[in-house]
């Protein structure tokens, strides 16, 4: 009885693993969860206080669908200062999470029969949104550094959108300026839109983040998506946004106003506080992520894996072809070592030989996981 449109997409694989892991935990197993896509840190206290204050001040009613003007203004200012993207508040749409922004942006741009280019591996939601729009995902293989190989070879006269996600989930790869310039050149030459998901922008090590929306000639063809989940450990709050040309904002707003209406009122006020307060909580979180990344990558390499240090996000995308491939290894690790990781097959048709390990877990759990992996592969 379900619609054919929804039969086109699958349940989120990361959530499916999480539910299996929690079943095992309920049975009393000591499960190490290295499968989640969220910082394991608490939301900074001053952000929580700000939401409480907003609630007490009666900010508990409907807001404009596109978001409260003060937050849109703060986001526009952030994009100008941090990202060199020159937008007005009217070109901002505040959404309940960046995921909703990705959903609305893809539905706003894509028609049935269109093609959208994305990297293999990519975050699983892009493909689901592309399919839901009736369009087709065209996967571009990655090189050993998880950079796309020759995107231009995959452009056809149906290509409408290229999706870029840097720093990237699941690989942690960071696009350099040159890599993004290549994408921009293709987008301009073939008249294609770009969706740039920059949610991991602040979780970056020894590299600089560039926003493709700031490049010459790209102003009218980039949808920049970002949010509060990762930078401020606010996953459960559901707050994100897109900055895009007027027509895309208008189209996405129609979808938002007839579905979720708007992001939660007092959460939007907390968002202003997050952007306008001192950003030291991000620095200390990133410092800890870097230490964990080093423990994990050095540990895996000492066990005989071949793993480079990613420059961003909080994931390692590990080649386990020699151990039976991603699905088998993820199942083996969960059932025999009680470690939850995500199989690479969730991130693209060519990524089945990998697993994604999230190092958003305390250091002692990462050490424990390495010990268990050692015992499992011995
Ligand atoms: C690449 C990427 N974009 C967007 C999101 C979703 O962020 P939000 O919590 O703001 O919806 C995630 C979450 O895992 C992600 O990995």
């Amino acid at each position: 009885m379900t619609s054919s449109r929804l039969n086109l997409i699958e349940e989120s694989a990361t959530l499916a693993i999480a539910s299996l892991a929690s079943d095992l935990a309920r049975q009393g197993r000591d499960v190490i969860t290295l499968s989640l896509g969220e910082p394991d840190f608490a939301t900074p206290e001053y952000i929580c206080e700000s939401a409480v204050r907003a609630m007490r001040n009666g900010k508990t009613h409907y807001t404009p669908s596109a978001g409260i003007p003060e937050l849109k203004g703060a986001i526009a200012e952030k994009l100008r200062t941090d990202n060199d993207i020159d937008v007005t508040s009217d070109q901002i749409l505040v959404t309940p999470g960046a995921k909703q922004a990705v959903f609305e942006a893809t539905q706003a741009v894509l028609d049935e029969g269109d093609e959208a280019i994305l990297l293999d591996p990519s975050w699983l939601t892009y493909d689901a949104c592309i399919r839901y729009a009736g369009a087709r995902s065209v996967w571009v293989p990655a090189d050993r550094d998880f950079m796309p190989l020759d995107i231009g070879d995959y452009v056809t006269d149906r290509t409408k959108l290229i999706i870029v996600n840097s720093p990237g989930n699941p690989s942690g790869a960071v696009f350099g300026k040159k890599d993004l310039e290549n994408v921009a050149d293709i987008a301009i030459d073939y008249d294609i839109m770009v969706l740039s998901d920059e949610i991991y922008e602040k979780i970056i090590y020894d590299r600089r983040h560039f926003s493709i929306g700031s490049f010459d000639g790209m102003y009218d063809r980039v949808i920049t998506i970002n949010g509060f989940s990762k930078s401020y450990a606010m996953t459960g709050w559901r707050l994100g946004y897109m900055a895009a040309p007027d027509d895309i904002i208008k189209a996405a707003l129609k979808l938002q106003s007839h579905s979720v209406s708007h992001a939660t009122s007092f959460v939007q006020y907390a968002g202003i506080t997050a952007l306008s307060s001192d950003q030291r909580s991000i620095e200390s979180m990133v410092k800890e992520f870097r230490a964990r990344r080093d423990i994990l990558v050095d540990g895996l390499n000492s066990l005989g894996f071949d793993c480079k240090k990613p420059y961003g996000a909080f994931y390692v995308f590990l080649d386990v072809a020699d151990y039976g491939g991603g699905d088998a290894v993820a199942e083996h690790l969960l059932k025999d070592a009680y470690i939850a990781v995500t199989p690479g097959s969730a991130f693209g048709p060519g990524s089945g030989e990998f697993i994604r390990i999230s190092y958003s877990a305390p250091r002692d759990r990462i050490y424990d996981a390495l010990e268990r992996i050692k015992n499992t592969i011995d």
Side-chain angles (χ1 to χ4, degrees), residues 332-372:
H332 184 45
L333 286 177
L334 187 57
K335 292 201 170 135
D336 300 325
Y338 305 122
I339 301 173
V341 298
T342 311
S345 55
F347 301 100
S351 296
E353 305 290 29
F354 293 79
I355 53 171
R356 187 191 74 173
I357 309 177
S358 161
Y359 49 88
S360 186
R363 295 186 200 193
D364 57 335
R365 298 302 272 167
I366 296 173
Y367 281 122
D368 287 350
L370 286 165
E371 192 57 34
R372 290 191 200 176

Side-chain angles (χ1 to χ4, degrees), residues 205-206 286-302 307-311 313-316 359 363 366-367 370:
Y205 323 99
D206 308 318
V286 171
K287 194 163 162 231
E288 178 58 22
F289 274 142
R290 177 202 288 270
R292 295 170 180 183
R293 175 200 65 168
D294 292 350
I295 292 167
L296 179 63
V297 172
D298 294 345
L300 289 169
N301 284 332
S302 73
C307 180
K308 286 192 193 168
K309 280 189 183 156
Y311 291 111
F314 40 76
Y315 310 107
V316 163
Y359 49 88
R363 295 186 200 193
I366 296 173
Y367 281 122
L370 286 165

Side-chain angles (χ1 to χ4, degrees), residues 37 97-99 123 126 165 169 197 199-200 229-230 238:
K99 189 182 261 184
W123 182 44
Y126 305 132
N165 170 220
N169 176 6
D197 179 348
I199 190 112
Y200 294 99
S229 285
K230 319 286 171 172
R238 313 309 303 130

